[in-house]
Amino acid sequence: MEILSQLWSFLGLLTVLQNILPSQFLSLLHSLYESLQDFFTPFSYFDIPEFNGYCSVDLNELYRHVTLYLNSLHNSAACRRLSLSRSKSSNRISFTVAPNHSVHVTFNGQRLSWTHQVETVQDSLDEKRSFSLKIPKRHRQALLPLYLDHITATAAEFERTSRERRLFTNNGNASSYDSGWVSVPFRHPSTFETLALETELKKQIMDDLKAFAAGREFYSRVGRAWKRGYLLYGPPGSGKSSLIAAMANFLCYDVYDLELTKVSDNSELRSLLIQTTNRSVIVIEDIDCSVDLTADRVSKVAAREDHEEEIGRVTLSGLLNFTDGLWSCCGEERIVVFTTNYREKIDSALIRCGRMDVHVSLGTCGPAAFRTLVKNYLEIESHPLFDVVDSCIRSGGGLTPAQIGEILLRNRRDADVAMREVVAALQARVLGSGGGRGAAEYEEIVMRSPESVLVVGSPENWDSSPGKYVGKRRKEGPASEKKVNFLVRLRSLTKSDSGRRGV
């Protein structure tokens, strides 16, 4: 009781002094107390408010970075309470530090602490939010700049990989005040793991995309726009659209599907380019069928002298400027993809180096691509008929991934039936009139070595680069002799397969 009475007496004395002493003197005492506290504490504290300034209008970008950074660390950081949330358009769960709770992290061997401070504004329903960083005082000069850079980089990477990506298409209104693009969520399931491509080609494309995504400083140093052009060509059903989706999923980019037939003129095409965002894939599918851009320019000199014919449509010049002109530099980290079934119909100026940097030939399934399809559809990694399929492929009995995928899909409940039907289809292709082609109308055959299906360079080097031969089918003797040799090999493989199964 004596201690309590003394405490009450002390509090009463403080109340009297507070009423008697000037407010300036009290403020000085409070500042002196805080200075002594800061001097003796081993930590420094940094507040990061949600808004800048007193008007609370300008959003503090660092606050957003810290929110994303802490969200990315929810599995490794030590926190007693987290707030969970999920939007309607996303399946990802967001983790944030609960109000007035702390989370502890480690950086460069130092233990740091973040506190999410939330205060209710007096006489208002609004809340004042901020993050408070506690850092060892003796290391703050060397640690703080590095840690802030680490927060910004981690937040940018987390935002890139976790945000909802969109699939855009042009709506024909780019010249108005509204946006020329409309979008839906992009949720295509294609990935490089499920893509039916030969292993070496798949690795080459992935390595090229990785180098491009990490090339900000390189492109700035050499003075080039940070973009990359891909030309995908091959027969229908060879997987061009699936490859585009796999590229977008691999890089976590948005996709802009540009329909040239909806674009009225070059000015609208330029406006659409300006409205695209960074980190995106701009796609023009079947470019040889979209508009009349692929014919011989020499034969059209007389027609192009008539200026009226150029008004009201997209021209080759406008598309060239779209891919490699001054306006192509209005954004960065963009992939431009053209697809076609007939590469030879495209004007060489449109797909030269600097516009289409990488040329990827997609044709019939090779052995590795076929095994990927079987694993995807039938969930098996080996089968006795694999050797028979390989023999058919080597003999020119190629089918596109779409054709094989349809057979496997139709018979996915019985792997043996599916494999036998694939072998039958391959045999029919070898022995039929279309043997040796990826499709009946596709006149060109691409050698199946991995080096030949990805060409980096100008169109002049398509058929002359060592190890990258692409040309007409070579004559290999009478067709009847080729068929007899194939049947002999196929019969021996079938007999060995029957012996292994005890038939």
Side-chain angles (χ1 to χ4, degrees):
M1 293 298 296
E2 183 178 356
I3 297 177
L4 289 176
S5 61
Q6 292 178 357
L7 179 60
W8 283 111
S9 299
F10 178 73
L11 293 176
L13 179 61
L14 290 179
T15 303
V16 172
L17 292 176
Q18 186 176 4
N19 294 329
I20 296 177
L21 296 177
S23 59
Q24 295 84 353
F25 183 73
L26 292 176
S27 299
L28 180 62
L29 291 178
H30 182 70
S31 300
L32 180 61
Y33 171 76
E34 289 187 344
S35 299
L36 290 175
Q37 188 179 26
D38 292 340
F39 179 78
F40 288 105
T41 184
F43 298 101
S44 294
Y45 295 86
F46 298 90
D47 292 332
I48 303 176
E50 184 178 9
F51 296 96
N52 295 323
Y54 296 100
C55 296
S56 298
V57 175
D58 185 17
L59 182 65
N60 187 354
E61 191 70 10
L62 186 57
Y63 179 89
R64 189 177 68 87
H65 289 172
V66 172
T67 302
L68 293 171
Y69 167 73
L70 295 178
N71 194 353
S72 68
L73 300 179
H74 68 273
N75 289 326
S76 58
C79 183
R80 189 168 62 89
R81 178 172 293 183
L82 294 172
S83 298
L84 309 182
S85 61
R86 183 171 62 188
S87 63
K88 293 182 180 180
S89 58
S90 175
N91 293 327
R92 181 181 293 272
I93 297 177
S94 299
F95 298 81
T96 56
V97 182
N100 301 316
H101 281 74
S102 299
V103 57
H104 304 285
V105 298
T106 302
F107 180 76
N108 283 359
Q110 301 296 324
R111 183 176 173 85
L112 313 178
S113 177
W114 288 96
T115 302
H116 187 200
Q117 298 177 343
V118 179
E119 300 176 0
T120 302
V121 179
Q122 188 175 4
D123 299 330
S124 174
L125 298 177
D126 296 335
E127 293 180 337
K128 183 179 179 182
R129 301 181 182 88
S130 66
F131 283 106
S132 178
L133 172 63
K134 185 175 73 172
I135 190 172
K137 183 185 295 185
R138 59 178 180 176
H139 298 295
R140 68 177 183 179
Q141 295 295 337
L143 199 61
L144 186 61
L146 295 177
Y147 188 49
L148 293 179
D149 292 341
H150 173 70
I151 290 174
T152 302
T154 304
E157 179 63 19
F158 179 77
E159 185 177 30
R160 182 182 71 87
T161 57
S162 62
R163 69 183 179 88
E164 182 188 55
R165 290 174 294 113
R166 310 288 296 181
L167 173 61
F168 295 83
T169 186
N170 51 309
N171 57 13
N173 297 323
S175 58
S176 64
Y177 292 102
D178 297 330
S179 173
W181 299 96
V182 292
S183 67
V184 295
F186 180 72
R187 295 169 183 169
H188 199 290
S190 178
T191 64
F192 278 105
E193 287 74 18
T194 62
L195 200 62
L197 282 181
E198 294 304 294
T199 305
E200 185 62 25
L201 173 61
K202 190 182 298 186
K203 181 178 183 302
Q204 289 177 3
I205 297 176
M206 293 174 65
D207 290 344
D208 187 76
L209 293 175
K210 289 178 183 177
F212 169 78
R216 176 189 292 273
E217 295 181 359
F218 170 78
Y219 280 88
S220 176
R221 178 169 57 84
V222 301
R224 291 188 55 169
W226 192 8
K227 65 181 183 63
R228 191 78 166 155
Y230 277 79
L231 173 67
L232 311 183
Y233 63 97
S238 57
K240 297 183 289 293
S241 298
S242 296
L243 177 56
I244 294 172
M247 294 167 61
N249 287 328
F250 182 74
L251 295 173
C252 299
Y253 285 2
D254 292 326
V255 178
Y256 288 83
D257 185 11
L258 178 59
E259 179 57 56
L260 285 180
T261 57
K262 291 184 178 180
V263 182
S264 60
D265 52 28
N266 295 335
S267 177
E268 182 177 347
L269 182 65
R270 186 165 53 247
S271 177
L272 288 171
L273 176 63
I274 295 174
Q275 294 175 20
T276 59
T277 60
N278 298 335
R279 294 176 176 173
S280 59
V281 180
I282 303 175
V283 182
I284 302 179
E285 293 194 279
D286 298 321
I287 189 171
D288 55 307
C289 303
S290 298
V291 289
D292 187 15
L293 300 171
T294 58
D296 185 9
R297 288 175 289 170
V298 177
S299 63
K300 288 195 170 185
V301 171
R304 292 186 181 182
E305 290 177 353
D306 188 357
H307 180 67
E308 292 182 358
E309 291 188 3
E310 299 295 324
I311 299 177
R313 68 182 183 91
V314 177
T315 64
L316 177 61
S317 174
L319 195 57
L320 294 178
N321 291 328
F322 175 85
T323 57
D324 195 37
L326 292 176
W327 286 98
S328 67
C329 306
C330 62
E332 58 183 17
E333 201 171 352
R334 287 177 173 148
I335 300 285
V336 180
V337 181
F338 291 167
T339 72
T340 179
N341 295 338
Y342 304 98
R343 182 189 61 187
E344 66 276 4
K345 291 185 177 181
I346 303 179
D347 194 299
S348 59
L350 191 60
I351 53 179
R352 66 159 174 81
C353 287
R355 292 190 175 113
M356 294 294 105
D357 307 290
V358 182
H359 301 250
V360 182
S361 172
L362 301 173
T364 57
C365 276
F370 174 75
R371 283 163 172 75
T372 300
L373 288 174
V374 171
K375 182 180 179 181
N376 293 340
Y377 285 90
L378 305 181
E379 297 182 344
I380 60 174
E381 297 187 4
S382 62
H383 194 275
L385 292 179
F386 274 177
D387 292 337
V388 180
V389 171
D390 292 346
S391 178
C392 293
I393 292 175
R394 288 193 298 268
S395 300
L399 295 174
T400 63
Q403 293 170 328
I404 295 180
E406 176 58 29
I407 296 174
L408 298 178
L409 177 64
R410 190 167 58 245
N411 302 280
R412 64 186 182 276
R413 294 180 179 84
D414 193 327
D416 293 332
V417 173
M419 290 297 299
R420 285 196 297 268
E421 188 168 338
V422 169
V423 170
L426 292 173
Q427 292 174 1
R429 182 55 61 92
V430 172
L431 301 177
S433 60
R437 298 184 187 180
E441 70 278 3
Y442 204 67
E443 298 179 355
E444 209 172 57
I445 180 170
V446 180
M447 306 300 291
R448 292 311 303 175
S449 60
E451 293 80 14
S452 69
V453 290
L454 185 143
V455 180
V456 181
S458 60
E460 296 82 10
N461 299 327
W462 284 345
D463 301 328
S464 59
S465 299
K468 296 180 179 179
Y469 174 78
V470 179
K472 296 291 182 182
R473 189 163 31 122
R474 298 179 181 178
K475 295 182 179 180
E476 299 179 359
S480 60
E481 180 181 351
K482 181 179 178 182
K483 293 178 182 179
V484 169
N485 293 335
F486 166 72
L487 289 174
V488 170
R489 292 196 301 270
L490 183 61
R491 185 175 182 180
S492 63
L493 286 170
T494 306
K495 285 184 176 181
S496 61
D497 173 48
S498 300
R500 285 194 301 269
R501 290 185 294 175
V503 179

